[in-house]
Amino acid sequence: VQLQASGGGLVQPGGSLRLSCAASGSIIGINTMGWYRQAPGKQRELVAMTTSGLSTNYADSVKGRFTISRDNAEKSVYLQMNNLKPEDTAVYYCNANIWPVGSHYQNYWGQGTQVTVSS
């Protein structure tokens, strides 16, 4: 099982980016999917999470600016980030709780994608 994230980059303050993450491999089910971020010198923190039932949870710092969505058929999760601020600069990691064939639900991480907000 792998999580492949994409969509990071350099953007000016106030701009937008969309992150994508797709799960692949022999998968029976996926529970939660979400995004975390880690800025230099800081701990990794939750940005947004969505369940298989499509309920969502956001960090207070991104509420009203970021939107998480999910396509269960495509085993994918997305993060639309609007009105980006310099403090959003971080490496963003995709995370999913996946039930692979022959095992039980486990936590998986994508490789991380850099988001830099700077003028």
Side-chain angles (χ1 to χ4, degrees):
V1 173
Q2 288 187 330
L3 292 176
Q4 182 68 43
S6 61
L10 172 64
V11 64
Q12 292 186 344
S16 298
L17 283 174
R18 186 174 188 252
L19 304 183
S20 300
C21 176
S24 62
S26 299
I27 296 170
I28 296 174
I30 302 178
N31 188 3
T32 58
M33 300 187 82
W35 295 91
Y36 288 71
R37 68 186 180 188
Q38 188 167 18
K42 294 187 176 182
Q43 289 188 335
R44 192 173 296 188
E45 62 175 0
L46 173 67
V47 176
M49 182 70 67
T50 180
T51 68
S52 57
L54 304 183
S55 63
T56 59
N57 183 40
Y58 295 93
D60 287 343
S61 59
V62 307
K63 285 180 181 177
R65 300 188 297 121
F66 291 10
T67 301
I68 190 170
S69 60
R70 174 174 174 165
D71 186 329
N72 287 329
E74 295 296 325
K75 301 183 180 65
S76 295
V77 64
Y78 310 95
L79 187 68
Q80 178 66 43
M81 304 184 293
N82 297 329
N83 190 22
L84 281 159
K85 303 176 180 181
E87 52 263 43
D88 295 317
T89 295
V91 178
Y92 284 69
Y93 295 91
C94 175
N95 173 273
N97 189 239
I98 297 174
W99 181 7
V101 172
S103 188
H104 51 79
Y105 273 104
Q106 299 180 46
N107 209 30
Y108 291 85
W109 292 94
Q111 82 280 18
T113 183
Q114 176 71 45
V115 171
T116 303
V117 184
S118 175
S119 55

